[in-house]
Amino acid sequence: MTKALLAALLVAAAAPALSQQAPAPPPVPVPPQIERLRDAALSDDYAWDIVEGLTTEVGPRLAGTEAEARARDWSVRKLRALGFANVRVEPFDMPVWVRGEEKAWITAPFPQPIVVSALGNSGATPPQGIEAELVGFDTIDQLIAAPDAAVRGKIVFVSHAMPRTQDGSGYGVFGRARREGPSIASRKGALAIVVRSIGTDYHRNPHTGVMSFAEGVTPIPAGALPLPDAEQVQRILKRGQPVRMRLVMTPRQIGTRQSGNVIAEVPGRDPNAPMLLVSGHLDSWDLGTGAIDDASGVAIAAASAKRIMDAGRPLRTIRIVWFGAEEPGLFGARAYRAAHGKDPYYAIAESDFGADRIWKVDSRLGKDREAEAKMLQRALNPLGIVPGALDEAEGSDISVLLADGIPGVGLSQDGTHYFDLHHTPDDTLDKVDPEALRQNVAAWTTMLAVLSGGIEPHPNRRKRR
Ligand SMILES: [Zn+2]
């Protein structure tokens, strides 16, 4: 029997079964009001105004510092000026780490300076620094496998091969060098560790980021080298002669300080209806002004809520949360969950992957809300956004709420260039493309409109007509 004949018989056999099934219901059409809100948001200025204002008038906003406190004051003023209700700060305490001096040199066999930045929670060298033999590993697993004797009394260098990807999936795997490397090196008796930055750009910008020493492990100095410097060090090591490094790194733990979450709301018509939560994080690393991480995120969340508020009153309350202290380890997220984890939520979302265009929508609204999830996919389609999973949602701060089973939506930004800027001095306003930012606001406005339960004109405006 030919393959074609077999295929024809199979189709014929399957046909009666198929014809007995009820035809799939036609997709729920996207209401014109939602299409209008989506298209109008493509000329949004609210988000740019927030990103520009926050990065210019506050600048870097390291968690738990005076700068982050100024950012909260700025945020409260801004959110009130935009007309949101219930604008408030919910404070919490956290341990705070601040950067000191940071310098490095290869002292032998080819003496030269090397660019370095401390990782968050890094230990310190004495003020005059340390000098020791440098031992290199191509992967974190090589370091794990190395005998203690190969590392003891030395400075460890860990490289890795994080690729550039659209979805940023390399960060989890290759980020181990930064997150786990320092504890492993310290346990083996290393004096200090430097890692190749968890980044993709070839500028001499180190990528900082948080690490934490495991329980009982002695903190050691832990830094990141920019890619050009990391590859320079690799070449020097490959020459096969003993390599020595001098490192001066003087960050400090300054004890418990206050941080806080900034919250604002668009009150819904039905105060008992489960609400929508849109979010980003207000703190940033200290090297840049945190324009893409995450001034853009807080701006996108607030701008989309503002556009709904301008259009009328949603059935559901929209809560905006600008989390504090995300970067050092989700302190704001955990404080929020302790205070509001049991509040009723219809869906939650966070923007924390830069400011590039959104290309995919994932959601996890539940089996019984599949028609709604699919309408959201169709409503986003004209923005160049492809449908993704119906059982997935993610976000850094909101991960603690998603883990509790709360429904969520994930609007995935293109991350191809995100790790060129992430946690570097280059994370500044000029990297934000206003057109891409508007596409983000349009997508978030669409998402809120679809899930809002319907938006009715403001009663006072109705009376005036
Ligand atoms: Zn972030």
Side-chain angles (χ1 to χ4, degrees):
M1 201 185 304
T2 67
K3 269 191 191 156
L5 182 55
L6 176 62
L9 286 172
L10 286 172
V11 168
L18 282 175
S19 68
Q20 279 159 21
Q21 278 174 12
V28 184
V30 178
Q33 182 192 35
I34 293 173
E35 295 184 326
R36 279 197 303 274
L37 278 164
R38 176 192 66 209
D39 297 343
L42 286 170
S43 50
D44 177 80
D45 290 324
Y46 292 132
W48 178 264
D49 181 55
I50 292 169
V51 182
E52 196 270 348
L54 184 59
T55 55
T56 304
E57 295 170 22
V58 180
R61 309 171 290 285
L62 187 67
T65 65
E66 163 280 333
E68 197 203 30
R70 272 190 284 122
R72 285 193 294 281
D73 293 345
W74 185 95
S75 303
V76 166
R77 284 198 303 276
K78 187 65 174 182
L79 291 163
R80 284 198 179 128
L82 285 166
F84 291 112
N86 306 327
V87 179
R88 62 196 187 270
V89 174
E90 295 189 350
F92 54 86
D93 288 340
M94 58 169 291
V96 176
W97 173 95
V98 293
R99 191 174 302 282
E101 200 184 347
E102 36 199 28
K103 285 180 184 156
W105 299 262
I106 295 295
T107 53
F110 313 125
Q112 54 190 287
I114 293 288
V115 177
V116 69
S117 240
L119 298 172
N121 290 323
S122 165
T125 66
Q128 72 277 15
I130 54 171
E131 185 177 339
E133 188 179 331
L134 185 74
V135 54
F137 300 94
D138 289 339
T139 64
I140 186 74
D141 290 326
Q142 275 185 18
L143 170 63
I144 291 169
D148 292 6
V151 168
R152 191 174 301 126
K154 296 176 182 171
I155 298 174
V156 165
F157 167 62
V158 181
S159 193
H160 58 83
M162 184 169 102
R164 183 184 291 283
T165 62
Q166 184 182 25
D167 65 359
S169 50
Y171 189 55
V173 187
F174 295 96
R176 288 176 62 212
R178 185 191 89 202
R179 293 189 301 267
E180 299 170 29
S183 285
I184 296 164
S186 177
R187 277 206 190 94
K188 289 178 185 285
L191 290 184
I193 179 171
V194 290
V195 302
R196 175 180 164 120
S197 284
I198 312 303
T200 46
D201 64 295
Y202 276 85
H203 295 276
R204 293 190 78 181
N205 288 328
H207 295 238
T208 190
V210 77
M211 51 87 29
S212 58
F213 289 98
E215 194 72 28
V217 174
T218 310
I220 56 172
L225 309 184
L227 267 53
D229 297 73
E231 293 188 1
Q232 177 81 332
V233 167
Q234 266 181 313
R235 282 190 297 272
I236 293 173
L237 283 163
K238 276 205 184 117
R239 295 294 200 269
Q241 302 173 49
V243 177
R244 294 184 68 79
M245 176 178 265
R246 179 168 173 237
L247 192 62
V248 177
M249 205 178 266
T250 58
R252 289 178 305 138
Q253 299 282 355
I254 58 169
T256 301
R257 295 282 195 279
Q258 199 170 70
S259 179
N261 295 322
V262 181
I263 300 178
E265 285 168 357
V266 178
R269 302 194 305 277
D270 179 358
N272 296 319
M275 70 182 132
L276 301 170
L277 182 151
V278 290
S279 63
H281 66 86
L282 186 58
D283 68 308
S284 77
W285 278 108
D286 51 349
L287 301 177
T289 60
I292 65 149
D293 187 12
D294 186 27
S296 293
V298 298
I300 290 161
S304 57
K306 168 71 173 159
R307 302 199 71 85
I308 300 292
M309 184 168 68
D310 285 355
R313 294 180 70 207
L315 179 77
R316 304 178 183 287
T317 293
I318 301 170
R319 181 178 288 172
I320 301 151
V321 184
W322 290 1
F323 290 100
E326 184 268 352
E327 296 292 3
L330 308 184
F331 289 95
R334 287 198 294 268
Y336 181 86
R337 179 175 179 267
H340 300 289
K342 299 277 190 266
D343 293 354
Y345 298 96
Y346 194 66
I348 62 177
E350 179 168 18
S351 176
D352 184 20
F353 199 52
D356 267 350
R357 295 174 68 87
I358 293 169
W359 69 278
K360 181 183 68 157
V361 53
D362 291 324
S363 60
R364 193 189 72 189
L365 299 177
K367 267 267 166 250
D368 52 328
R369 286 165 61 187
E370 209 158 276
E372 190 178 26
K374 287 188 171 167
M375 198 230 271
L376 175 60
Q377 292 176 341
R378 282 197 309 284
L380 291 168
N381 227 222
L383 297 173
I385 297 171
V386 302
L390 293 177
D391 56 358
E392 270 176 41
E394 62 171 20
S396 180
D397 294 281
I398 64 166
S399 63
V400 300
L401 299 171
L402 291 169
D404 291 339
I406 294 172
V409 176
L411 293 165
S412 304
Q413 288 151 315
D414 188 333
T416 309
H417 303 288
Y418 184 62
F419 290 102
D420 291 347
L421 306 169
H422 181 248
H423 299 180
T424 73
D426 246 2
D427 180 0
T428 49
L429 181 67
D430 51 289
K431 310 306 183 307
V432 178
D433 171 5
E435 282 307 312
L437 192 65
R438 289 186 183 116
Q439 188 257 11
N440 274 264
V441 176
W444 279 70
T445 303
T446 305
M447 185 258 291
L448 286 177
V450 168
L451 303 176
S452 66
I455 303 159
E456 289 186 356
H458 290 283
N460 51 348
R461 288 188 201 164
R462 201 187 293 158
K463 259 182 244 146
R464 258 184 259 137
R465 274 189 205 137

